[in-house]
Amino acid sequence: NVAQAGINLQDLLPAGLTYVSNSVNVTLGVAPAQLVTTTYTGSGTFTVPTNVTLATVQAWGGGGGGATRSTTGGGGGGGGGAYSREMLNLQSGSNYTVTVGAGGAAGNNGGDSWLSLGSVTGVLARGGSGVAQNTATGGAGGATNGIGRVQYVGGNGADAGGTNGGGGGSSAGTNAAGNNATSATGATAPAGGGNGGNGRSGTSGAGTAGTAPGGGGGGAYRTSGTQTGGAGAAGRVTITYTLAPGASLTITFQAVVSTPPPAGALTNRASVYSSTQPAISASVTNCVVSADVGVQKLVTTNQPFSAQIIEYILVATNSGPSTATGIKITDLLPSQVQYNSHSNGTYNNVS
């Protein structure tokens, strides 16, 4: 068995069949493409699909919360979450625990994110540090002491300065460390990461929350009252795997016989191929049943006198091979003839 990629399925309808619009339905053994990514923004369970034994798991820790101020001054920005990646051998059919680190509320650390089976953790990304109340120093980004072959640190939050709270650090991206905030502006994340929230600038007020996944929250600035630091953003876990050998994909759709074929049979052929396998095909033949209906009209006299009653006789026939249903015969009388009566069925002398 060889895992397939770039799978293409082709089914061209033969002449005589018309596709019924919007009737297609796809049922998959694992997912609607050969490459499948499941994204978790909250904790849950991942059940490994049948015949899937390998997956790339990515995790981002939650962002730390920015500092709240109850005394005059600015609060430091929270640190961004770290990133971890690993290709794992999975047990088909098993239920893995997915834990997504929560974003830290003001002053709290961001939670760690991980994937585990029982007591064995396969991937883990650390959350960013929150900043304690009335603290001007920014929080550190999530560290690379998690679990994963590839790890990047989160960005640090900025220190408060002047009349500003510090911006939150960004989370790490998929291929780069998170960026540090250096002012009230939250750090912009590398590709795949979440931005830090802005610190309050110039006037008394709260910090801004970070952006998922794992952006640190901005610090507050206070001249009166209590001003709250921005929350860090929640982390994230993604699991990516391929359509493995033995997995299935079922497609159904509807068609109507628009033009019955002369031979009474319709053959529909489908083919499938991938980037590593030539096309193979299968066909099905439908015997189209049809009815051959006809009508014959007779009259009792060809040369009637004025006011003489004449009788029209209609004979409907079906030469098969199928039963004919819903038969309707139309016979409108000429204007020179007045309707008198009829037998068998229903007759409307107007229509």
Side-chain angles (χ1 to χ4, degrees):
N1 289 334
V2 178
Q4 301 292 312
I7 296 173
N8 290 272
L9 181 65
Q10 185 178 64
D11 188 351
L12 298 178
L13 294 177
L17 283 180
T18 300
Y19 168 68
V20 176
S21 180
N22 299 320
S23 68
V24 68
N25 181 62
V26 181
T27 303
L28 303 132
V30 289
Q34 72 275 8
L35 188 64
V36 183
T37 297
T38 303
T39 300
Y40 291 84
T41 57
S43 298
T45 299
F46 174 68
T47 301
V48 183
T50 303
N51 296 316
V52 172
T53 58
L54 190 67
T56 298
V57 180
Q58 302 179 97
W60 289 259
T68 293
R69 293 294 305 208
S70 60
T71 60
T72 299
Y83 169 85
S84 293
R85 180 173 71 241
E86 181 64 84
M87 182 172 289
L88 298 177
N89 292 310
L90 303 179
Q91 298 180 21
S92 182
S94 295
N95 294 321
Y96 284 72
T97 299
V98 179
T99 301
V100 175
N108 293 312
N109 297 334
D112 297 340
S113 298
W114 69 87
L115 177 80
S116 62
L117 179 62
S119 60
V120 179
T121 300
V123 172
L124 184 148
R126 299 295 185 185
S129 297
V131 182
Q133 183 170 313
N134 297 325
T135 300
T137 303
T144 53
N145 60 350
I147 299 173
R149 193 182 306 270
V150 177
Q151 296 188 54
Y152 295 108
V153 296
N156 298 330
D159 296 344
T163 58
N164 300 326
S170 84
S171 69
T174 53
N175 289 294
N179 291 317
N180 301 328
T182 58
S183 65
T185 302
T188 300
N195 298 334
N198 293 332
R200 185 69 177 188
S201 179
T203 60
S204 186
T208 303
T211 302
Y221 177 71
R222 186 255 185 200
T223 58
S224 62
T226 297
Q227 305 300 335
T228 305
R236 183 176 296 168
V237 173
T238 67
I239 304 169
T240 302
Y241 53 95
T242 57
L243 185 64
S248 63
L249 180 150
T250 302
I251 299 175
T252 62
F253 62 91
Q254 298 175 356
V256 295
V257 180
S258 54
T259 307
L266 286 168
T267 299
N268 184 18
R269 183 175 299 275
S271 61
V272 62
Y273 62 92
S274 74
S275 57
T276 59
Q277 178 178 305
I280 57 174
S281 61
S283 63
V284 62
T285 299
N286 301 102
C287 294
V288 181
V289 294
S290 59
D292 183 9
V293 295
V295 64
Q296 182 181 19
K297 183 172 183 177
L298 306 173
V299 67
T300 53
T301 178
N302 291 323
Q303 295 179 329
F305 297 107
S306 177
Q308 179 182 355
I309 294 177
I310 58 178
E311 183 177 14
Y312 293 109
I313 302 170
L314 301 175
V315 180
T317 60
N318 177 19
S319 300
S322 304
T323 300
T325 59
I327 294 177
K328 181 178 180 180
I329 299 175
T330 301
D331 186 0
L332 296 179
L333 295 175
S335 58
Q336 297 86 354
V337 177
Q338 180 179 344
Y339 168 75
N340 183 53
S341 65
H342 72 277
S343 60
N344 294 332
T346 300
Y347 180 77
N348 187 318
N349 66 309
V350 176
S351 60

